[in-house]
Protein backbone atom coordinates (compact mmCIF):
# COMPACT_ATOMS: atom_id res chain seq x y z
CA UNK A 1 0.00 0.00 0.00
CA UNK A 2 0.93 3.63 -0.41
CA UNK A 3 0.60 5.08 3.09
CA UNK A 4 0.52 8.80 3.92
CA UNK A 5 1.17 9.92 7.52
CA UNK A 6 -0.60 13.13 8.54
CA UNK A 7 0.43 14.85 11.77
CA UNK A 8 0.88 18.34 13.14
CA UNK A 9 3.80 17.09 15.21
CA UNK A 10 6.26 15.48 12.82
CA UNK A 11 8.46 18.37 13.70
CA UNK A 12 8.37 18.22 17.49
CA UNK A 13 11.32 16.73 19.33
CA UNK A 14 9.16 15.34 22.14
CA UNK A 15 9.02 11.57 22.37
CA UNK A 16 5.22 11.19 22.52
CA UNK A 17 3.54 11.63 19.15
CA UNK A 18 6.81 11.73 17.24
CA UNK A 19 7.93 8.51 18.91
CA UNK A 20 4.74 6.74 17.80
CA UNK A 21 5.04 8.17 14.27
CA UNK A 22 8.61 6.86 13.99
CA UNK A 23 7.51 3.44 15.21
CA UNK A 24 4.60 3.31 12.75
CA UNK A 25 6.81 4.39 9.83
CA UNK A 26 9.34 1.71 10.71
CA UNK A 27 6.61 -0.93 11.04
CA UNK A 28 5.04 0.08 7.71
CA UNK A 29 8.40 -0.08 5.95
CA UNK A 30 9.18 -3.50 7.40
CA UNK A 31 5.74 -4.66 6.26
CA UNK A 32 6.66 -3.67 2.70
CA UNK A 33 4.57 -0.53 2.28
CA UNK A 34 5.49 2.71 0.51
CA UNK A 35 5.58 5.40 3.19
CA UNK A 36 5.22 9.17 2.95
CA UNK A 37 4.25 12.23 4.99
CA UNK A 38 2.05 15.27 4.44
CA UNK A 39 4.14 18.38 5.15
CA UNK A 40 3.28 22.05 5.26
CA UNK A 41 6.13 24.50 4.79
CA UNK A 42 6.06 27.04 1.94
CA UNK A 43 7.61 26.70 -1.49
CA UNK A 44 11.41 26.87 -1.74
CA UNK A 45 11.70 26.46 -5.52
CA UNK A 46 13.63 29.14 -7.38
CA UNK A 47 13.13 27.48 -10.77
CA UNK A 48 16.68 28.19 -11.97
CA UNK A 49 18.03 24.65 -11.56
CA UNK A 50 16.25 21.42 -10.72
CA UNK A 51 19.40 20.04 -9.07
CA UNK A 52 19.79 23.07 -6.82
CA UNK A 53 16.08 23.17 -6.04
CA UNK A 54 16.19 19.52 -4.94
CA UNK A 55 19.15 20.17 -2.62
CA UNK A 56 17.50 23.21 -1.04
CA UNK A 57 14.17 21.36 -0.70
CA UNK A 58 15.80 18.45 1.13
CA UNK A 59 17.63 20.80 3.50
CA UNK A 60 14.42 22.62 4.42
CA UNK A 61 12.60 19.30 4.79
CA UNK A 62 15.14 18.20 7.40
CA UNK A 63 14.78 21.50 9.27
CA UNK A 64 11.00 21.08 9.22
CA UNK A 65 11.17 17.56 10.58
CA UNK A 66 13.81 18.31 13.22
CA UNK A 67 13.36 21.79 14.62
CA UNK A 68 9.75 22.85 14.33
CA UNK A 69 7.29 24.26 11.87
CA UNK A 70 7.36 27.70 13.51
CA UNK A 71 10.92 28.21 12.37
CA UNK A 72 10.01 27.91 8.71
CA UNK A 73 6.97 30.07 8.11
CA UNK A 74 5.02 32.92 9.68
CA UNK A 75 2.33 32.38 12.26
CA UNK A 76 -1.26 32.50 11.00
CA UNK A 77 -2.34 34.24 14.18
CA UNK A 78 -1.54 37.49 12.42
CA UNK A 79 -4.52 38.70 10.40
CA UNK A 80 -2.10 40.25 7.92
CA UNK A 81 -0.33 36.91 7.42
CA UNK A 82 -3.62 35.11 6.98
CA UNK A 83 -4.80 37.52 4.31
CA UNK A 84 -1.43 37.42 2.57
CA UNK A 85 -1.44 33.61 2.38
CA UNK A 86 -5.08 33.53 1.29
CA UNK A 87 -4.37 36.05 -1.45
CA UNK A 88 -1.35 34.11 -2.70
CA UNK A 89 -3.29 30.82 -2.79
CA UNK A 90 -0.04 29.21 -1.66
CA UNK A 91 -1.99 26.49 0.14
CA UNK A 92 -3.38 25.21 -3.19
CA UNK A 93 0.10 24.42 -4.55
CA UNK A 94 0.25 20.64 -4.20
CA UNK A 95 3.49 18.82 -4.85
CA UNK A 96 4.70 15.23 -4.41
CA UNK A 97 8.44 14.84 -3.91
CA UNK A 98 10.26 11.49 -3.91
CA UNK A 99 12.93 11.44 -1.20
CA UNK A 100 16.48 11.39 -2.53
CA UNK A 101 18.19 9.77 0.42
CA UNK A 102 21.65 10.85 -0.73
CA UNK A 103 20.49 14.44 -0.05
CA UNK A 104 19.46 13.68 3.56
CA UNK A 105 22.45 14.66 5.68
CA UNK A 106 20.90 13.93 9.09
CA UNK A 107 20.65 10.14 9.17
CA UNK A 108 18.46 10.20 12.30
CA UNK A 109 15.98 12.61 10.69
CA UNK A 110 12.47 11.22 10.07
CA UNK A 111 12.82 12.28 6.43
CA UNK A 112 15.44 9.58 5.95
CA UNK A 113 12.80 6.91 6.71
CA UNK A 114 10.33 8.17 4.08
CA UNK A 115 9.88 7.26 0.42
CA UNK A 116 8.09 10.47 -0.49
CA UNK A 117 6.42 13.60 0.88
CA UNK A 118 3.36 15.49 -0.30
CA UNK A 119 3.65 19.21 0.32
CA UNK A 120 0.64 21.48 0.78
CA UNK A 121 1.97 24.76 2.22
CA UNK A 122 0.50 25.89 5.54
CA UNK A 123 -1.72 22.78 5.83
CA UNK A 124 -1.33 22.32 9.57
CA UNK A 125 -1.43 26.01 10.39
CA UNK A 126 -4.83 26.34 8.76
CA UNK A 127 -6.12 23.20 10.46
CA UNK A 128 -4.87 24.18 13.93
CA UNK A 129 -6.43 27.63 13.55
CA UNK A 130 -9.87 26.26 12.75
CA UNK A 131 -9.54 26.92 9.01
CA UNK A 132 -9.28 23.31 7.92
CA UNK A 133 -12.10 23.75 5.42
CA UNK A 134 -9.69 25.79 3.26
CA UNK A 135 -7.05 23.05 2.94
CA UNK A 136 -9.19 19.88 3.07
CA UNK A 137 -10.01 20.11 -0.68
CA UNK A 138 -6.27 20.25 -1.39
CA UNK A 139 -5.67 17.22 0.85
CA UNK A 140 -8.41 15.25 -0.89
CA UNK A 141 -7.08 16.25 -4.32
CA UNK A 142 -3.51 15.24 -3.41
CA UNK A 143 -4.60 11.85 -2.09
CA UNK A 144 -6.48 11.07 -5.30
CA UNK A 145 -3.85 12.58 -7.62
CA UNK A 146 -0.93 10.67 -6.12
CA UNK A 147 -2.69 7.37 -5.51
CA UNK A 148 -2.59 7.21 -1.72
CA UNK A 149 -4.25 4.05 -0.37
CA UNK A 150 -4.19 4.74 3.37
CA UNK A 151 -3.99 7.86 5.54
CA UNK A 152 -2.75 7.49 9.13
CA UNK A 153 -2.89 10.45 11.51
CA UNK A 154 -0.45 10.81 14.41
CA UNK A 155 -3.19 12.07 16.74
CA UNK A 156 -6.94 12.84 16.58
CA UNK A 157 -7.74 15.36 13.85
CA UNK A 158 -10.85 16.99 12.45
CA UNK A 159 -10.42 14.94 9.29
CA UNK A 160 -13.48 12.82 8.38
CA UNK A 161 -12.93 9.85 6.09
CA UNK A 162 -14.88 11.57 3.29
CA UNK A 163 -12.03 14.13 3.15
CA UNK A 164 -9.44 11.46 2.35
CA UNK A 165 -11.54 9.23 0.08
CA UNK A 166 -10.86 7.07 -1.85
CA UNK A 167 -8.07 6.28 0.65
CA UNK A 168 -8.90 4.54 3.94
CA UNK A 169 -8.46 6.47 7.20
CA UNK A 170 -6.79 5.34 10.43
CA UNK A 171 -6.43 7.78 13.35
CA UNK A 172 -4.22 7.35 16.42
CA UNK A 173 -5.52 8.25 19.89
CA UNK A 174 -2.87 8.59 22.59
CA UNK A 175 -5.07 9.67 25.49
CA UNK A 176 -7.97 11.92 26.40
CA UNK A 177 -6.17 14.20 28.86
CA UNK A 178 -7.45 17.49 27.38
CA UNK A 179 -11.02 16.55 28.35
CA UNK A 180 -10.30 14.39 31.41
CA UNK A 181 -8.04 16.67 33.45
CA UNK A 182 -8.20 20.34 34.41
CA UNK A 183 -4.90 21.27 32.79
CA UNK A 184 -5.63 24.51 30.97
CA UNK A 185 -7.05 27.90 32.02
CA UNK A 186 -10.68 28.65 31.20
CA UNK A 187 -9.81 30.90 28.26
CA UNK A 188 -7.79 28.12 26.59
CA UNK A 189 -9.81 26.37 23.86
CA UNK A 190 -7.84 23.10 23.91
CA UNK A 191 -10.62 21.00 25.56
CA UNK A 192 -13.20 22.26 23.07
CA UNK A 193 -10.90 21.70 20.07
CA UNK A 194 -9.85 18.26 21.27
CA UNK A 195 -13.45 17.19 21.91
CA UNK A 196 -14.28 18.01 18.28
CA UNK A 197 -11.21 16.16 16.98
CA UNK A 198 -11.89 13.18 19.23
CA UNK A 199 -15.54 12.93 18.14
CA UNK A 200 -14.59 13.03 14.45
CA UNK A 201 -11.90 10.41 15.07
CA UNK A 202 -14.19 8.02 16.93
CA UNK A 203 -17.07 8.30 14.44
CA UNK A 204 -15.37 9.03 11.11
CA UNK A 205 -12.43 6.60 10.89
CA UNK A 206 -12.18 3.22 9.20
CA UNK A 207 -10.02 2.06 12.09
CA UNK A 208 -8.57 3.60 15.26
CA UNK A 209 -5.18 2.94 16.83
CA UNK A 210 -5.05 3.32 20.61
CA UNK A 211 -1.93 3.12 22.73
CA UNK A 212 -3.63 1.41 25.68
CA UNK A 213 -6.74 -0.47 26.77
CA UNK A 214 -7.64 2.55 28.88
CA UNK A 215 -7.70 4.79 25.80
CA UNK A 216 -9.64 2.19 23.80
CA UNK A 217 -12.33 2.24 26.51
CA UNK A 218 -12.58 6.04 26.16
CA UNK A 219 -13.09 5.63 22.41
CA UNK A 220 -15.85 3.08 22.94
CA UNK A 221 -17.59 5.37 25.43
CA UNK A 222 -18.25 7.74 22.53
CA UNK A 223 -18.69 5.14 19.80
CA UNK A 224 -19.25 1.55 20.99
CA UNK A 225 -19.03 0.32 17.38
CA UNK A 226 -15.61 1.81 16.66
CA UNK A 227 -13.01 -0.63 15.36
CA UNK A 228 -9.98 -0.22 17.64
CA UNK A 229 -6.56 -1.87 17.65
CA UNK A 230 -4.21 -1.36 20.61
CA UNK A 231 -0.63 -0.78 19.49
CA UNK A 232 0.92 0.39 22.76
CA UNK A 233 4.22 2.17 22.19
CA UNK A 234 7.82 1.07 21.99
CA UNK A 235 10.36 1.51 24.75
CA UNK A 236 13.78 0.06 25.16
CA UNK A 237 16.50 0.52 27.73
CA UNK A 238 20.05 1.53 26.96
CA UNK A 239 21.12 0.72 30.49
CA UNK A 240 23.92 -1.59 29.40
CA UNK A 241 25.38 1.00 27.01
CA UNK A 242 26.24 3.63 29.63
CA UNK A 243 28.77 3.11 32.40
CA UNK A 244 29.98 6.62 33.22
CA UNK A 245 28.86 7.46 36.76
CA UNK A 246 30.67 10.79 37.12
CA UNK A 247 27.30 12.61 37.17
CA UNK A 248 26.60 11.09 40.59
CA UNK A 249 29.72 12.60 42.14
CA UNK A 250 28.95 15.96 40.51
CA UNK A 251 25.56 15.92 42.25
CA UNK A 252 26.89 14.41 45.53
CA UNK A 253 24.74 11.31 45.08
CA UNK A 254 25.56 7.84 46.39
CA UNK A 255 24.81 4.68 44.43
CA UNK A 256 21.56 3.08 45.59
CA UNK A 257 20.77 5.97 47.89
CA UNK A 258 18.37 8.28 46.06
CA UNK A 259 14.86 8.22 44.59
CA UNK A 260 14.39 9.17 40.94
CA UNK A 261 11.61 10.84 38.94
CA UNK A 262 11.95 11.43 35.18
CA UNK A 263 9.32 13.25 33.11
CA UNK A 264 8.18 16.73 32.13
CA UNK A 265 7.42 18.84 35.21
CA UNK A 266 3.69 19.51 34.92
CA UNK A 267 0.62 19.40 37.12
CA UNK A 268 -0.64 15.95 36.18
CA UNK A 269 2.66 14.38 37.27
CA UNK A 270 1.49 15.02 40.85
CA UNK A 271 4.79 16.53 41.99
CA UNK A 272 3.35 18.73 44.75
CA UNK A 273 1.88 15.68 46.48
CA UNK A 274 5.06 13.74 45.86
CA UNK A 275 7.00 16.52 47.63
CA UNK A 276 4.59 16.43 50.59
CA UNK A 277 4.81 12.64 50.75
CA UNK A 278 8.59 12.84 50.61
CA UNK A 279 8.48 15.26 53.55
CA UNK A 280 6.42 12.73 55.55
CA UNK A 281 8.66 9.79 54.60
CA UNK A 282 12.02 11.50 54.85
CA UNK A 283 12.87 10.53 58.42
CA UNK A 284 12.48 6.86 57.52
CA UNK A 285 14.14 6.81 54.09
CA UNK A 286 16.83 9.50 54.55
CA UNK A 287 17.80 9.81 50.89
CA UNK A 288 17.59 12.55 48.20
CA UNK A 289 14.81 12.82 45.63
CA UNK A 290 16.14 13.58 42.13
CA UNK A 291 13.74 15.28 39.69
CA UNK A 292 14.71 15.08 36.00
CA UNK A 293 12.78 16.92 33.29
CA UNK A 294 11.92 20.22 31.66
CA UNK A 295 9.19 22.74 32.39
CA UNK A 296 5.57 21.90 31.58
CA UNK A 297 2.07 23.19 32.35
CA UNK A 298 1.84 24.35 35.97
CA UNK A 299 5.61 24.53 36.50
CA UNK A 300 5.37 27.80 38.44
CA UNK A 301 2.86 26.30 40.89
CA UNK A 302 5.10 23.26 41.32
CA UNK A 303 8.12 25.42 42.14
CA UNK A 304 6.08 27.66 44.44
CA UNK A 305 5.04 24.59 46.41
CA UNK A 306 8.63 23.37 46.51
CA UNK A 307 9.80 26.69 47.94
CA UNK A 308 7.28 26.37 50.78
CA UNK A 309 8.90 23.15 52.03
CA UNK A 310 11.26 23.04 55.04
CA UNK A 311 14.91 23.78 54.21
CA UNK A 312 16.11 20.25 54.95
CA UNK A 313 13.62 18.80 52.48
CA UNK A 314 14.33 21.44 49.82
CA UNK A 315 18.05 20.74 50.11
CA UNK A 316 17.43 17.07 49.41
CA UNK A 317 15.21 17.56 46.37
CA UNK A 318 17.53 17.93 43.39
CA UNK A 319 16.26 19.39 40.09
CA UNK A 320 18.44 18.55 37.09
CA UNK A 321 16.46 19.97 34.16
CA UNK A 322 17.20 18.27 30.83
CA UNK A 323 20.25 16.02 30.96
CA UNK A 324 22.20 13.91 28.47
CA UNK A 325 21.52 10.22 27.85
CA UNK A 326 24.78 9.41 29.61
CA UNK A 327 23.73 11.29 32.74
CA UNK A 328 20.18 9.96 32.60
CA UNK A 329 21.37 6.36 32.60
CA UNK A 330 23.90 7.11 35.31
CA UNK A 331 20.89 8.06 37.43
CA UNK A 332 18.69 5.17 36.29
CA UNK A 333 21.37 2.53 36.76
CA UNK A 334 22.24 3.62 40.28
CA UNK A 335 19.02 4.78 41.93
CA UNK A 336 17.25 3.03 44.78
CA UNK A 337 13.79 3.30 43.18
CA UNK A 338 11.80 5.12 40.49
CA UNK A 339 8.80 7.16 41.71
CA UNK A 340 6.03 8.17 39.30
CA UNK A 341 2.68 8.81 41.10
CA UNK A 342 1.07 10.50 38.08
CA UNK A 343 -2.60 11.46 38.09
CA UNK A 344 -3.06 10.31 34.48
CA UNK A 345 -0.93 8.83 31.71
CA UNK A 346 -1.91 7.74 28.23
CA UNK A 347 0.80 5.12 28.65
CA UNK A 348 3.83 5.91 30.85
CA UNK A 349 6.90 4.61 29.03
CA UNK A 350 9.43 6.07 31.56
CA UNK A 351 8.43 3.12 33.73
CA UNK A 352 9.74 0.68 31.10
CA UNK A 353 13.06 2.53 31.05
CA UNK A 354 13.21 2.14 34.82
CA UNK A 355 12.52 -1.59 34.50
CA UNK A 356 15.43 -1.80 32.07
CA UNK A 357 17.68 -0.64 34.90
CA UNK A 358 15.96 -3.12 37.27
CA UNK A 359 14.58 -0.32 39.42
CA UNK A 360 11.58 -0.98 41.68
CA UNK A 361 8.81 1.42 40.67
CA UNK A 362 6.17 3.23 42.69
CA UNK A 363 3.36 4.57 40.51
CA UNK A 364 -0.42 5.13 40.56
CA UNK A 365 -3.19 2.91 39.25
CA UNK A 366 -4.65 5.67 37.06
CA UNK A 367 -5.00 5.72 33.27
CA UNK A 368 -2.81 3.19 31.47
CA UNK A 369 -0.16 2.96 34.18
CA UNK A 370 -1.29 -0.50 35.41
CA UNK A 371 -0.92 -1.76 31.82
CA UNK A 372 2.68 -0.57 31.73
CA UNK A 373 3.61 -1.63 35.24
CA UNK A 374 1.83 -4.98 35.34
CA UNK A 375 3.01 -7.05 38.29
CA UNK A 376 6.39 -5.31 38.26
CA UNK A 377 5.29 -2.11 40.03
CA UNK A 378 3.91 -1.04 43.41
CA UNK A 379 0.72 0.99 43.04
CA UNK A 380 -0.79 3.90 44.91
CA UNK A 381 -4.57 3.41 44.77
CA UNK A 382 -5.32 7.09 45.35
CA UNK A 383 -2.64 9.43 43.97
CA UNK A 384 -4.41 12.34 45.69
CA UNK A 385 -3.67 10.76 49.09
CA UNK A 386 -0.33 12.11 50.36
CA UNK A 387 -0.20 9.61 53.23
CA UNK A 388 -0.58 6.68 50.86
CA UNK A 389 2.20 7.99 48.61
CA UNK A 390 4.42 8.43 51.69
CA UNK A 391 3.72 4.85 52.77
CA UNK A 392 4.58 3.71 49.26
CA UNK A 393 7.90 5.57 49.34
CA UNK A 394 8.90 3.87 52.57
CA UNK A 395 7.82 0.46 51.30
CA UNK A 396 9.57 0.71 47.92
CA UNK A 397 12.80 1.69 49.70
CA UNK A 398 12.78 -0.67 52.66
CA UNK A 399 10.91 -3.84 51.67
CA UNK A 400 13.64 -6.01 50.08
CA UNK A 401 11.32 -8.98 49.51
CA UNK A 402 8.93 -6.69 47.61
CA UNK A 403 11.81 -5.42 45.48
CA UNK A 404 12.82 -8.98 44.60
CA UNK A 405 9.23 -9.91 43.69
CA UNK A 406 8.80 -6.87 41.45
CA UNK A 407 12.10 -7.60 39.70
CA UNK A 408 10.86 -11.07 38.65
CA UNK A 409 8.11 -9.55 36.52
CA UNK A 410 10.14 -6.80 34.81
CA UNK A 411 11.26 -8.84 31.75
CA UNK A 412 7.67 -9.69 30.77
CA UNK A 413 6.68 -6.00 30.91
CA UNK A 414 9.71 -4.90 28.91
CA UNK A 415 8.90 -7.50 26.22
CA UNK A 416 5.35 -6.16 25.96
CA UNK A 417 6.67 -2.86 24.59
CA UNK A 418 9.32 -4.14 22.19
CA UNK A 419 9.62 -3.03 18.55
CA UNK A 420 8.88 -6.60 17.44
CA UNK A 421 5.57 -6.63 19.33
CA UNK A 422 4.66 -3.20 17.95
CA UNK A 423 5.41 -4.22 14.35
CA UNK A 424 3.31 -7.38 14.71
CA UNK A 425 0.35 -5.45 16.16
CA UNK A 426 0.64 -2.84 13.38
CA UNK A 427 0.64 -5.47 10.61
CA UNK A 428 -2.32 -7.27 12.21
CA UNK A 429 -4.28 -4.00 12.39
CA UNK A 430 -3.69 -3.18 8.70
CA UNK A 431 -4.78 -6.71 7.74
CA UNK A 432 -8.05 -5.97 9.55
CA UNK A 433 -8.68 -3.17 7.04
CA UNK A 434 -8.72 -5.57 4.12
Amino acid sequence: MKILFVSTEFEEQARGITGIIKSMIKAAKEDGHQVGALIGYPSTDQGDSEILDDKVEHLYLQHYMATGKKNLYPMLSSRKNQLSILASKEFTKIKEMPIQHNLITQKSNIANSLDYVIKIPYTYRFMSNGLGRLVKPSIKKAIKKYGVDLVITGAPMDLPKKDVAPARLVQFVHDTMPIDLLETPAENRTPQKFAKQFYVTTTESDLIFANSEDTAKKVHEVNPKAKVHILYGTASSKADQFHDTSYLSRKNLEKGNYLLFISVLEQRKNLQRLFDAYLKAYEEIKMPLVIVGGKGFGYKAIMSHYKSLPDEIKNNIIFTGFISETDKYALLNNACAFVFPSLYEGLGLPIIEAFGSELPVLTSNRGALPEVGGKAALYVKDPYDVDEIAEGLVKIVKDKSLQSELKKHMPEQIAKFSSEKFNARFAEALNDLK
Side-chain angles (χ1 to χ4, degrees):
M1 281 193 294
K2 187 172 184 178
I3 299 176
L4 180 69
F5 284 92
V6 178
S7 175
T8 59
E9 291 192 29
F10 282 121
E11 316 86 348
E12 302 298 331
Q13 294 177 327
R15 53 195 273 171
I17 293 176
T18 296
I20 286 290
I21 292 260
K22 287 180 177 178
S23 294
M24 289 194 291
I25 288 173
K26 182 181 177 183
K29 294 278 284 185
E30 291 190 8
D31 205 28
H33 301 289
Q34 186 182 6
V35 179
L38 179 65
I39 58 175
Y41 62 88
S43 175
T44 60
D45 291 348
Q46 298 298 313
D48 298 321
S49 165
E50 185 175 337
I51 292 174
L52 294 179
D53 280 346
D54 283 344
K55 288 185 175 182
V56 169
E57 187 80 76
H58 281 74
L59 289 174
Y60 275 95
L61 173 62
Q62 291 174 82
H63 279 300
Y64 180 82
M65 292 297 192
T67 62
K69 53 184 176 284
K70 294 179 183 177
N71 293 337
L72 290 173
Y73 49 81
M75 294 284 285
L76 283 181
S77 55
S78 162
R79 184 68 174 168
K80 182 178 179 181
N81 283 340
Q82 289 182 23
L83 293 174
S84 174
I85 294 165
L86 286 168
S88 70
K89 295 287 181 119
E90 178 89 357
F91 59 93
T92 64
K93 297 176 182 176
I94 304 167
K95 174 183 178 181
E96 182 183 45
M97 182 179 80
I99 300 296
Q100 298 179 45
H101 293 98
N102 62 307
L103 298 182
I104 302 294
T105 57
Q106 294 180 321
K107 296 309 175 186
S108 61
N109 195 284
I110 298 178
N112 204 45
S113 301
L114 302 174
D115 299 305
Y116 70 97
V117 294
I118 293 176
K119 184 163 76 169
I120 305 175
Y122 304 105
T123 301
Y124 298 118
R125 274 292 167 211
F126 277 107
M127 295 193 77
S128 63
N129 280 273
L131 299 170
R133 67 188 182 281
L134 295 176
V135 291
K136 284 178 182 178
S138 295
I139 294 172
K140 188 178 180 72
K141 180 179 177 181
I143 287 167
K144 187 174 182 179
K145 180 178 180 180
Y146 298 119
V148 174
D149 301 303
L150 176 65
V151 172
I152 301 177
T153 69
M157 296 182 71
D158 180 10
L159 191 66
K161 55 187 176 183
K162 66 181 177 61
D163 288 329
V164 304
R168 309 293 293 281
L169 176 64
V170 177
Q171 301 223 51
F172 199 109
V173 182
H174 297 258
D175 55 59
T176 55
M177 278 184 286
I179 54 175
D180 282 338
L181 283 183
L182 183 62
E183 279 224 306
T184 54
E187 65 272 16
N188 185 292
R189 293 184 61 249
T190 297
Q192 181 182 354
K193 289 168 65 176
F194 179 83
K196 170 68 172 177
Q197 293 162 343
F198 186 62
Y199 180 78
V200 171
T201 294
T202 57
T203 59
E204 290 288 337
S205 302
D206 293 297
L207 187 147
I208 296 167
F209 288 153
N211 68 339
S212 69
E213 292 178 13
D214 181 71
T215 298
K217 288 177 183 176
K218 300 291 178 60
V219 170
H220 284 135
E221 285 176 2
V222 177
N223 181 14
K225 296 181 179 180
K227 184 184 288 188
V228 183
H229 275 259
I230 298 168
L231 291 190
Y232 288 117
T234 61
S236 59
S237 173
K238 300 177 183 176
D240 59 350
Q241 299 177 28
F242 295 93
H243 307 287
D244 180 0
T245 60
S246 59
Y247 188 76
L248 271 64
S249 58
R250 297 202 304 271
K251 292 293 184 179
N252 295 316
L253 295 170
E254 298 177 14
K255 181 175 180 178
N257 194 47
Y258 58 90
L259 299 173
L260 181 62
F261 167 95
I262 301 177
S263 191
V264 64
L265 310 189
E266 58 187 5
Q267 292 280 50
R268 68 184 173 91
K269 303 300 179 179
N270 210 19
L271 285 164
Q272 288 105 314
R273 294 183 186 87
L274 176 59
F275 295 160
D276 289 344
Y278 177 68
L279 169 62
K280 287 178 175 287
Y282 183 74
E283 285 303 317
E284 289 192 68
I285 61 177
K286 287 286 186 180
M287 62 176 60
L289 169 62
V290 180
I291 307 293
V292 179
K295 301 175 183 179
F297 172 77
Y299 176 76
K300 288 183 178 179
I302 292 168
M303 293 309 296
S304 176
H305 191 84
Y306 160 76
K307 291 173 183 176
S308 70
L309 298 169
D311 288 343
E312 184 179 14
I313 299 303
K314 283 192 292 187
N315 292 338
N316 279 284
I317 297 178
I318 300 169
F319 293 90
T320 71
F322 285 114
I323 57 177
S324 68
E325 286 284 281
T326 299
D327 294 341
K328 183 179 83 171
Y329 278 100
L331 291 172
L332 279 167
N333 287 342
N334 295 284
C336 173
F338 188 78
V339 293
F340 198 67
S342 180
L343 298 176
Y344 182 96
E345 293 291 328
L347 200 54
L349 292 178
I351 290 175
I352 298 298
E353 287 187 341
F355 289 162
S357 295
E358 299 187 340
L359 284 182
V361 170
L362 174 69
T363 189
S364 74
N365 67 348
R366 298 301 175 92
L369 288 166
E371 296 174 59
V372 180
K375 296 179 180 178
L378 174 65
Y379 297 97
V380 174
K381 293 181 180 179
D382 182 3
Y384 292 91
D385 187 332
V386 171
D387 289 333
E388 188 182 357
I389 298 172
E391 290 170 8
L393 292 177
V394 173
K395 192 169 185 179
I396 205 74
V397 168
K398 293 204 161 188
D399 192 333
K400 301 303 179 185
S401 62
L402 171 66
Q403 293 174 8
S404 296
E405 180 62 25
L406 297 179
K407 186 176 177 180
K408 290 179 187 177
H409 299 285
M410 290 179 189
E412 66 194 69
Q413 289 306 114
I414 293 171
K416 189 176 179 180
F417 298 92
S418 68
S419 295
E420 292 76 18
K421 288 279 190 182
F422 184 94
N423 293 353
R425 294 184 189 111
F426 183 86
E428 180 184 349
L430 293 198
N431 284 334
D432 199 22
L433 276 174
K434 296 177 181 177

